[in-house]
């Protein structure tokens, strides 16, 4: 899904579907063609559509991993640093004791991994997004799937027929 | 699965399926490696063992025997648990793997005989017998121990076989049978066709009972054959720790078997990469559970610092030479598999999984040595490990390979994965 | 008799639950809030008078405050089991109840988190528990299990809340798109501009998978840490290695029972019968049998090892538990936790709503008494016979306990009427083309 420089000779068509399989079939056709697939909306994270779109793997996992590694060392470091301020034997245990500090390290690993995960999620998915889309149908979070395609004005009718063949409800936007 | 479908396939059985099997003799001829290897291992193991007992160090021989018995029985118990567990939760991804897991029931009778043979080595193994146990003798005496463990194993194995019997009906009646046992079973079922629904519900009940017996019997074996070798130490989690170990190594062995068959050109058995991924994930998860149970015991004993409990742990994890073995076990059974198996792709490479699971199983053999060794070898300068122990373990491995091979030869239809069979 | 589910029918069913509530609802809320106020009043009285108004004293210095703490943390765990662990196992029966279960988790952790405060007595000293840099370079002792608790419960509360909120994002967008006016604005902010674009979905599903994968070890570690509050001591009955998995299994046991207690009325009042089907409740019941057996196994193991150890203190502790002053509580525990759930082995019982509800209440009672037996039963009767003593909770403690139960239900009842109590997106995911039955 690429951003194409907008010009007056382009139009956008939004095809609205009621089923994921029709949406996926349309996407496959569109990818095989040279129309520009702008966006796909879906109320569910459909595997079928994901396969049709063949998107690259998300980078969120790297944020999570980084967070986890930072957390692991921070947890141990916090526990060891605070214990080492005073050289007192408490409860007959060594001042810096790895066996109990592992628990602190473990919990911090999970906590910071989750922070990384959330950071990755909001940065990659570009949330929160408060600018409202002009081409958006509120049914996309309900029960309809949407495929927004842009093309040159000349090819508009071909695209329209493509959508029609798949049984979509079509909205045409002349200013893309 | 309706009754009518099954009776239809039973009718057609006399002719078609057996001739199909008979016209594929090449399948049988192309399995020379497994039985030969198994026989070689068994021969080497038995020879080493007998030589050690007769002319060498009988105590060492019996200890290696015990360790290997515990490990390989645990493998069989844990692998069969996979089949019963998958049935219980009505898993849909694991059909072929569960069928393969049932092959490990073939080791059950061998394991039982091996257990009974342990009696011959009792004077070398049960060092507490004859000592003053301050009242524990009512529990810790050799005859009661063998009686209760024997009965426990008998119950476990009977439940396993009963489960297998019912599971086989569903498989053989739709796939046919070419092996001797399979054909005998089919004739038996032909005379009295079972009701599919009743067999299905019995299969469910038996899988539940097997899992219950698994938990209780393996805990009992853990307490009797490992923990109480040091009769003054105890840990309430030890029983559960023992059966979690069995699940871990059992799943590992299942992966190895599945990977070997998948890679072998002599069979038609092929798994999807998603199935390898799923069983790899389960293996990884149980590795974590094993490490968690190990840590749960360690942190409680370390923190409480009560000398009755800590002596056992200090000797094995903090003093030479056992501490080196302890770290080897920890790295081999947990740290290395954890770091390696986090990666998704490696779980779908069968050859890599054979290596990793093999490493873990070898590590678990060493873990048994770690737990039992200090009881039999006090104040040693180095870990008492020699080629003889390895040979004896090899013998047990040969027995396991042989048993599974015999099963697969009896029921080669297991390896034909039917797409329409849903469970 | 269930109708076919479609995307629209799911949305409509859930959105129906968010319509302005009637008088019965507000009456319930008011009653529950009254209970919360009673609890708060008792707590205020305790702060002003002193921690001695509770029944804890020598030798039993940990009473209902600890019991309730462990109880509520336990309840929280099966919410995460259902939403995270069952997501990893791809168990479809979790989808209808995942949202409500995760909500239960968040509110249960909040309730549990109050108890360390309550038990402090001088609540203004809570900052001692945090590693705040200060002039005297004084730090909390991270070797203490109580500090493990701070770290673990803090992590669990944070992670659960984030998981809960992230899971709700697509549903909040659904509500935004079907609302007008003020509600539209509020849900617009809450849904963070979610539009269901596939660019958003691909990162979301990955992030959600990691949430589930990380929440799983968290569940196990948090309740293990709570169990180590007891196991890392040296008291007989507490100092035992089995506590970590025993407590985790017990937590899931009590939490699943609470799920049934909440879901059965919820599904009736909100007409969720097509979504939260009997099969879903049945799956919960079957899992309760499993966790009940684990808990029973732990009871048996502890008694056996107490005898095996031939340690006179251990043996006396376990003899007294079964036959001593608190024997009634012990046998309530065994019966309600292990024996009564076995009734769920009969399919007639586990598919009957009334039995499901009644047995779930029994399990909750049994699990509360398990914590009583463990906490009170060990400390009351440890090494020195001269130091043995009994414990009885006071009215203030009962008041605070009532407040905590009311707080939990108050928060839950508020939630279900203003936020989506069923994960619409997840139910839609389980549907096949054209609508299907769920579960």
């Amino acid at each position: 899904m690429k951003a194409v420089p907008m010009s007056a000779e382009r139009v956008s068509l939004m095809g609205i579907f009621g089923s994921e399989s029709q949406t996926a079939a349309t996407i496959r056709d569109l990818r095989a063609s040279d129309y520009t697939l702008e966006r796909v909306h879906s109320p569910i994270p459909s595997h079928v559509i994901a396969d049709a779109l063949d998107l690259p793997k998300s980078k969120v996992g790297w944020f999570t991993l980084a967070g986890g590694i930072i957390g692991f060392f921070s947890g141990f470091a916090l526990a060891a640093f605070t214990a080492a301020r005073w050289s007192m034997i408490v409860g007959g245990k060594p001042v810096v004791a790895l066996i109990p500090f592992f628990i602190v390290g473990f919990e911090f690993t999970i906590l910071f991994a989750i922070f990384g995960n959330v950071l990755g999620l909001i940065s990659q998915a570009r949330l929160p997004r408060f600018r409202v889309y002009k081409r958006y149908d509120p049914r996309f979070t309900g029960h309809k799937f949407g495929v927004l395609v842009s093309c040159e004005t000349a090819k508009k009718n071909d695209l329209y027929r493509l959508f029609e063949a798949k049984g979509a409800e079509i909205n045409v936007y002349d200013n893309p | 699965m309706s009754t009518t479908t099954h009776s239809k396939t039973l009718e057609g059985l006399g002719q078609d399926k057996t001739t199909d099997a008979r016209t594929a003799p090449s399948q049988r001829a192309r399995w020379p490696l497994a039985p030969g290897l198994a026989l070689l291992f068994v021969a080497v193991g038995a020879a080493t063992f007998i030589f050690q007992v007769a002319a060498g160090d009988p105590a060492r021989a019996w200890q290696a025997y015990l360790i290997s018995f515990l490990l390989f029985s645990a493998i069989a118990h844990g692998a069969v648990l996979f089949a019963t567990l998958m049935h219980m939760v009505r898993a849909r991804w694991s059909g072929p793997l569960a069928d393969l897991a049932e092959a490990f029931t073939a080791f059950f009778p061998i394991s039982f005989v091996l257990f009974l043979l342990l009696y011959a080595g009792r004077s070398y193994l049960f060092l507490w017998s004859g000592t003053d146990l301050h009242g524990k003798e009512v529990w810790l005496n050799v005859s009661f121990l063998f009686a209760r463990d024997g009965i426990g194993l008998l119950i476990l194995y009977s439940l396993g076989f009963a489960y297998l019997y019912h599971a086989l009906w569903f498989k053989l009646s739709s796939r046919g049978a070419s092996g001797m046992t399979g054909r005998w079973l089919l004739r038996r079922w032909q005379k009295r066709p079972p009701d599919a629904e009743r067999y299905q519900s019995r299969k469910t009940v038996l899988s539940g009972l097997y899992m219950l017996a698994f938990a209780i019997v393996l805990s009992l074996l853990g307490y009797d054959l490992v923990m109480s070798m040091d009769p003054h130490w105890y840990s309430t989690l030890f029983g559960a720790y023992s059966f979690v170990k069995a699940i871990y190594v059992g799943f590992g062995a299942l992966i190895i078997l599945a990977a070997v068959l998948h890679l072998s050109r002599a069979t038609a058995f092929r798994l999807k990469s998603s199935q390898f991924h799923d069983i790899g994930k389960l293996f990884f998860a149980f590795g974590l559970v094993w490490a968690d149970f190990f840590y749960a015991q360690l942190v409680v004993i370390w923190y409480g610092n009560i000398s009755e409990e800590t002596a056992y742990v200090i000797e094995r994890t903090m003093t030479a030479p056992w501490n080196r073995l302890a770290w080897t076990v920890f790295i081999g059974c947990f740290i290395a598999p954890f770091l390696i198996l986090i990666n998704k792709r490696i779980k779908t490479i069968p050859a890599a999984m054979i290596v990793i699971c093999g490493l873990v199983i070898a590590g678990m053999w060493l873990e048994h040595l770690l737990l039992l060794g200090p009881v039999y070898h006090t104040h040693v300068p180095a870990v008492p490990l020699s080629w003889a122990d390895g040979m004896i373990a090899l013998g047990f491995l040969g027995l396991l390979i042989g048993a599974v091979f015999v099963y697969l030869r009896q029921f080669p239809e297991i390896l034909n994965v039917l797409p329409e069979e849903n469970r | 008799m269930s109708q076919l589910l479609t995307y629209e029918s799911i949305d409509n069913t859930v959105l129906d639950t968010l319509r302005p509530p009637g008088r019965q609802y507000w009456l319930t809320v008011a009653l529950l809030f009254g209970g919360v106020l009673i609890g708060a009043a008792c707590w205020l009285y305790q702060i002003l008078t002193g921690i001695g108004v509770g029944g804890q004293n020598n030798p039993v210095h940990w009473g209902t405050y600890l019991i309730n703490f462990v109880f509520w943390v336990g309840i929280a765990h099966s919410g995460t089991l259902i939403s995270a662990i069952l997501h990893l196992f791809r168990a479809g029966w979790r989808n209808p109840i995942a949202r409500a279960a995760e909500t239960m988790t968040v509110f249960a952790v909040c309730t549990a988190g109050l108890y360390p405060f309550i038990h402090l007595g001088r609540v203004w000293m809570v900052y001692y528990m945090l590693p705040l840099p200060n002039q005297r370079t004084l730090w909390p002792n991270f070797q203490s299990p109580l500090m493990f608790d701070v770290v673990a419960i803090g992590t669990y509360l944070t992670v659960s809340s984030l998981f809960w909120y992230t899971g709700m994002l697509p549903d909040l967008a659904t509500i935004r798109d079907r609302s007008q006016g003020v509600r539209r604005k509020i849900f617009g902010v809450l849904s963070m501009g979610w539009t269901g674009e596939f660019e958003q979905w691909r990162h979301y599903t990955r992030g959600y998978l990691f949430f589930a994968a990380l929440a799983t070890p968290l569940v196990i570690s948090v309740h293990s840490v709570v169990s180590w509050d007891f196991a890392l001591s040296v008291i007989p009955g507490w100092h035992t290695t089995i506590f970590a998995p025993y407590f985790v299994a017990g937590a899931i046991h009590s939490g699943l029972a609470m799920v049934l207690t909440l879901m059965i009325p919820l599904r009736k009042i909100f007409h969720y019968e097509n979504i939260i089907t009997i099969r879903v409740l049945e799956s919960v019941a079957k899992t309760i049998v499993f966790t009940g057996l684990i808990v029973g196994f732990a009871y048996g193991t502890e008694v056996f090892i107490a005898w095996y150890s031939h340690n006179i203190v251990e043996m006396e502790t376990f003899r007294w538990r079964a036959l001593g002053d608190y024997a009634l509580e012990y046998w309530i525990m065994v019966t309600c936790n292990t024996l009564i759930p076995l009734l769920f082995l009969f399919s007639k019982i586990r598919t009957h709503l009334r039995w499901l509800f009644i047995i779930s209440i029994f399990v909750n009672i049994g699990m509360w008494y398990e914590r009583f037996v463990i906490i009170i039963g060990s400390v009351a009767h440890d090494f020195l016979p001269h130091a043995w003593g009994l414990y009885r909770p006071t009215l203030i403690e009962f008041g605070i306990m009532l407040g905590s139960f009311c707080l939990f239900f108050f928060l839950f009842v508020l939630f279900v009427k203003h936020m989506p109590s069923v994960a619409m997106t997840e139910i839609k995911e389980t549907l096949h083309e054209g609508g299907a039955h769920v579960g």
Side-chain angles (χ1 to χ4, degrees):
Chain A
M1 292 185 275
K2 306 185 292 254
V4 172
M6 305 298 193
S7 69
E9 296 124 25
R10 296 187 75 84
V11 290
S12 302
L13 265 69
M14 173 80 87
I16 302 175
F17 298 84
S19 89
E20 57 178 301
S21 52
Q22 288 287 57
T23 318
T26 313
I27 292 171
R28 272 190 284 269
D29 289 345
L30 286 167
R31 288 188 71 214
S33 73
D34 55 345
Y35 298 118
T36 315
L37 191 57
E38 304 276 354
R39 286 202 305 270
V40 176
H41 289 269
S42 160
I44 56 166
S46 156
H47 291 299
V48 190
I49 297 181
D51 285 338
L53 280 171
D54 197 23
L55 294 163
K57 201 160 97 160
S58 162
K59 292 202 179 55
V60 171
W62 295 107
F63 288 80
T64 319
L65 183 65
I69 293 176
I70 293 175
F72 185 71
F73 291 108
S74 308
F76 263 105
L78 176 68
F81 170 79
T82 54
R85 294 299 93 202
W86 299 83
S87 51
M88 290 197 301
I89 305 286
V90 180
K93 317 274 186 298
V95 174
V96 175
L98 291 182
I99 292 178
F101 288 171
F102 171 74
I103 297 177
V104 183
F106 181 87
E107 300 295 344
F108 269 65
T109 307
I110 308 252
L111 182 65
F112 279 66
I114 292 291
F115 285 155
N117 199 32
V118 172
L119 204 69
L121 190 58
I122 57 181
S123 69
Q124 299 290 296
R126 278 184 260 280
L127 294 170
R129 190 202 303 259
F130 290 115
R131 267 190 310 134
V132 183
Y133 275 137
K134 282 177 280 177
R135 329 268 179 233
Y136 178 74
D137 190 316
R139 291 173 298 172
F140 290 154
T141 50
H143 56 281
K144 290 287 189 197
F145 299 79
V147 182
L148 182 68
V149 184
S150 72
C151 68
E152 289 151 26
T153 322
K155 299 226 185 92
K156 181 173 103 173
N157 291 323
D158 290 332
L159 188 55
Y160 196 97
R161 272 195 292 275
L162 195 152
F163 272 131
E164 225 178 8
K166 292 281 188 296
E169 186 191 313
I170 307 166
N171 292 335
V172 185
Y173 303 108
D174 282 317
N175 285 333
Chain B
M1 284 191 262
S2 66
T3 330
T4 41
T5 330
H6 276 282
S7 39
K8 277 208 201 96
T9 38
L10 275 173
E11 276 164 18
L13 260 171
Q15 284 77 34
D16 305 297
K17 310 281 178 161
T18 40
T19 33
D20 277 344
R22 262 187 254 130
T23 54
S26 50
Q27 211 173 357
R28 265 184 241 165
R30 266 192 283 147
W31 286 17
L33 189 61
L37 212 58
L39 275 168
L40 176 69
F41 287 167
V42 173
V44 165
T48 317
F49 179 73
I50 293 169
F51 176 74
Q52 281 276 64
V53 169
D57 184 354
R60 278 287 288 276
W62 278 110
Q63 285 140 27
Y65 181 104
L66 175 65
I67 292 174
S68 303
F69 163 75
L70 288 168
L71 179 73
F72 287 96
S73 302
I75 287 178
H77 301 152
V80 176
L81 184 91
F82 180 81
T84 56
L85 179 65
M86 290 297 118
H87 175 75
M88 209 44 169
V89 299
R90 305 281 187 269
R92 283 182 299 251
W93 61 274
S94 55
L97 275 167
D99 293 341
L100 210 55
E102 287 157 9
F104 285 88
T105 50
F107 191 70
F108 284 176
I110 301 178
S111 157
F112 191 70
V113 169
L114 291 170
F115 170 74
L116 294 175
L117 284 175
L118 268 177
Y119 192 75
R122 64 194 181 283
S123 52
Y124 301 108
L125 293 171
F126 300 103
L127 299 185
W128 41 254
S129 68
T131 63
D132 178 16
L133 292 171
H134 309 294
K136 266 197 247 196
E137 294 91 343
V138 67
W139 177 259
L140 285 182
N141 64 75
V142 178
S143 24
F144 185 27
L145 188 145
F146 271 90
R148 62 174 178 261
D149 289 349
I151 292 175
L153 281 176
L154 212 57
I155 293 176
L156 181 69
Y157 293 159
S158 309
L159 287 170
F161 276 119
Y163 168 81
L164 179 69
Y165 178 78
H166 290 82
L168 277 175
W169 181 73
F170 288 101
K171 280 189 271 286
L172 297 184
S173 49
S174 52
R175 297 187 219 192
S178 53
M180 213 169 60
T181 325
R183 277 182 286 157
W184 177 81
L185 283 170
L186 280 177
R187 277 197 297 274
R188 187 192 156 88
W189 285 323
Q190 227 167 357
K191 276 190 228 138
R192 264 184 305 169
D195 172 40
E197 259 178 54
R198 193 139 55 98
Y199 262 44
Q200 183 77 339
S201 79
R202 271 201 220 161
K203 195 177 162 195
T204 307
V205 169
L206 286 166
S207 53
L209 287 174
Y210 176 83
M211 295 199 286
L212 191 63
F214 175 89
I216 297 175
V217 174
L218 264 79
S219 296
L220 185 65
L221 287 178
Y223 289 136
D224 281 342
L225 296 176
V226 189
M227 188 181 90
S228 60
M229 292 313 194
D230 181 342
H232 303 293
W233 185 78
Y234 58 90
S235 158
T236 37
L237 190 55
F238 204 88
Y241 174 73
S242 301
F243 73 67
V244 164
K245 237 193 302 187
I247 302 179
Y248 188 29
V249 292
F251 283 19
L254 179 62
I255 294 177
I256 294 178
L257 180 64
V260 164
L261 291 172
H262 176 92
L263 292 172
S264 149
R265 262 175 291 196
T267 73
F269 185 80
R270 297 290 175 268
L271 286 178
K272 292 185 281 206
S273 106
S274 67
Q275 285 168 315
F276 273 114
H277 188 214
D278 282 339
I279 184 89
K281 276 191 282 189
L282 270 180
F283 178 70
F284 175 73
F286 273 98
L288 288 176
V289 176
W290 171 78
D292 173 56
F293 278 35
F294 170 79
Y295 180 78
Q297 296 181 88
L298 180 69
V299 75
V300 170
I301 292 175
W302 183 90
Y303 209 94
N305 211 4
I306 299 176
S307 38
E308 289 165 353
E309 302 177 347
T310 53
Y312 188 94
V313 173
I314 290 175
E315 177 164 29
R316 284 157 180 76
T317 64
M318 297 175 195
T319 55
W322 301 104
N323 57 352
R324 272 173 263 139
L325 185 63
W327 276 104
T328 311
V329 167
F330 193 58
I331 293 174
C333 293
F334 176 63
I335 298 189
F338 174 77
L339 293 173
I340 297 173
L341 290 175
I342 272 197
N343 177 306
K344 165 175 175 170
R345 215 164 354 124
I346 203 147
K347 294 193 268 269
T348 56
I349 303 173
M353 288 310 283
I354 293 178
V355 172
I356 297 170
C357 297
L359 181 81
V360 168
I361 292 176
M364 276 307 173
W365 195 96
L366 292 174
E367 189 259 8
H368 282 93
L369 178 64
L370 178 67
L371 292 177
L372 288 168
V375 174
Y376 301 120
H377 308 279
T378 49
H379 305 302
V380 282
V383 174
L385 189 60
S386 73
W387 61 270
D389 304 311
M391 297 292 115
I392 295 177
L394 215 57
F396 279 77
L397 176 64
L399 286 170
L400 182 68
I401 295 176
V404 171
F405 176 76
V406 165
Y407 179 95
L408 290 176
R409 275 289 291 273
Q410 287 299 312
F411 305 108
E413 292 70 31
I414 303 276
L415 301 179
N416 305 334
V417 182
L418 289 183
E420 68 265 15
E421 197 140 55
N422 56 349
R423 32 198 70 240
Chain C
M1 277 299 282
S2 52
Q3 302 153 315
L4 223 53
L5 278 178
T6 64
Y7 286 22
E8 289 166 270
S9 70
I10 294 167
D11 284 347
N12 290 337
T13 314
V14 176
L15 281 150
D16 257 356
T17 68
L18 300 177
R19 276 191 306 193
R23 228 169 343 155
Q24 258 186 331
Y25 174 78
W26 290 118
L27 193 61
T28 315
V29 170
L31 262 167
L32 289 170
F33 190 65
V36 174
L37 286 179
I38 294 176
C42 291
W43 188 7
L44 185 63
Y45 178 71
Q46 179 180 280
I47 295 175
L48 295 173
T49 314
I51 192 75
V53 300
Q56 61 271 7
N57 209 323
N58 253 325
V60 183
H61 46 274
W62 275 0
T64 58
Y65 299 150
L66 258 292
I67 297 177
N68 286 318
F69 170 68
V70 180
F71 180 77
W72 286 114
V73 177
I75 301 257
H77 279 79
S78 58
T80 316
L81 167 84
I82 290 175
S83 55
I85 300 178
L86 290 181
H87 176 77
L88 293 179
F89 284 152
R90 302 193 296 258
W93 59 269
R94 91 182 241 286
N95 288 25
I97 50 177
R99 173 65 39 71
E102 190 57 36
T103 309
M104 181 183 86
T105 292
V106 175
F107 294 150
V109 183
C110 291
T111 313
L114 281 179
Y115 274 100
F117 276 103
I118 297 172
H119 201 57
L120 265 182
R122 292 176 292 174
V123 295
W124 52 93
M125 299 208 142
V126 69
Y127 69 91
Y128 272 42
M129 286 201 273
L130 302 170
L132 301 168
N134 56 71
Q135 269 183 322
R136 291 176 281 174
T137 65
L138 292 175
W139 300 97
N141 177 14
F142 279 101
Q143 283 199 29
S144 162
L146 303 180
M147 277 310 296
F148 298 160
D149 264 354
V150 172
V151 175
I153 305 283
T155 303
Y156 194 42
L157 181 60
T158 313
V159 169
S160 295
S161 309
L162 288 171
F163 190 26
W164 179 58
Y165 182 60
T166 311
M168 277 202 286
L169 272 179
D171 285 355
L172 295 173
T174 310
I175 299 178
R176 171 200 69 202
D177 286 340
R178 297 269 297 252
S179 316
Q180 286 85 32
V182 178
R183 183 194 263 194
R184 191 190 179 86
K185 282 210 181 62
I186 295 176
F187 278 91
V189 172
L190 286 176
S191 59
M192 286 169 64
W194 178 268
T195 51
E197 273 176 73
F198 239 78
E199 264 303 294
Q200 291 175 335
W201 276 122
R202 79 175 171 108
H203 298 298
Y204 180 89
T205 45
R206 198 108 181 108
Y208 195 86
L209 179 67
F210 285 125
F211 259 117
L214 288 165
T216 305
L218 187 63
V219 163
I220 298 180
S221 66
V222 168
H223 221 66
S224 301
V225 164
V226 170
S227 80
W228 289 331
D229 279 345
F230 310 107
L232 298 195
S233 69
V234 294
I235 295 178
W238 277 11
H239 185 75
T240 173
T241 47
I242 203 172
F243 260 28
Y246 166 36
F247 267 54
V248 174
I252 295 174
H253 193 50
S254 65
L256 287 173
M258 186 59 92
V259 164
L260 285 179
T261 309
L262 289 172
M263 295 297 120
I264 292 174
L266 184 77
R267 106 194 242 284
K268 181 128 201 287
I269 297 173
F270 280 171
H271 310 295
Y272 279 152
E273 288 88 345
N274 283 343
I275 299 178
I276 304 180
T277 60
I278 290 280
R279 310 231 80 226
V280 171
L281 297 176
E282 202 188 342
S283 301
V284 174
K286 286 192 217 172
T287 317
I288 289 181
V289 175
F290 177 58
T291 50
L293 283 172
I294 298 179
V295 166
F297 177 83
Y299 295 156
T301 304
E302 280 193 308
V303 170
F304 166 66
I305 295 283
W307 175 84
Y308 174 87
S309 70
H310 263 61
N311 178 315
I312 49 170
V313 187
E314 287 281 341
M315 293 199 289
E316 169 56 20
T317 297
F318 281 90
R319 182 207 68 80
W320 185 77
R321 269 198 196 177
L323 305 170
D325 300 85
Y326 292 127
L328 174 66
E329 285 82 351
Y330 180 83
W331 291 107
I332 292 178
M333 163 185 104
V334 172
T335 314
C336 291
N337 290 338
T338 315
L339 299 176
I340 291 186
L342 289 177
L343 289 171
F344 280 150
L345 285 171
F346 300 105
S347 99
K348 276 213 188 68
I349 295 187
R350 65 174 184 260
T351 48
H352 194 122
L353 284 176
R354 197 160 294 167
W355 280 115
L356 281 166
F357 188 76
I358 293 175
I359 294 180
S360 75
I361 302 278
F362 270 114
V363 171
N364 271 318
I365 294 175
M367 284 311 296
W368 195 93
Y369 273 108
E370 179 188 288
R371 277 58 174 261
F372 182 97
V373 166
I374 292 175
I375 297 176
I376 312 300
S378 297
V379 189
H381 204 81
D382 60 26
F383 293 103
L384 296 176
H386 192 72
W388 290 347
L390 295 179
Y391 163 83
R392 170 169 272 121
T394 60
L395 275 178
I396 296 289
E397 289 183 79
F398 281 124
I400 292 180
M401 192 159 123
L402 175 73
S404 79
F405 272 84
C406 288
L407 177 68
F408 174 75
F409 288 111
F410 170 73
L411 290 171
F412 193 81
V413 167
L414 272 183
F415 173 83
V416 296
K417 212 50 180 125
H418 297 92
M419 300 283 242
S421 49
V422 156
M424 294 179 271
T425 313
E426 299 195 348
I427 308 286
K428 290 176 197 169
E429 276 184 82
T430 59
L431 292 188
H432 299 293
E433 210 76 86
H437 301 277
V438 176

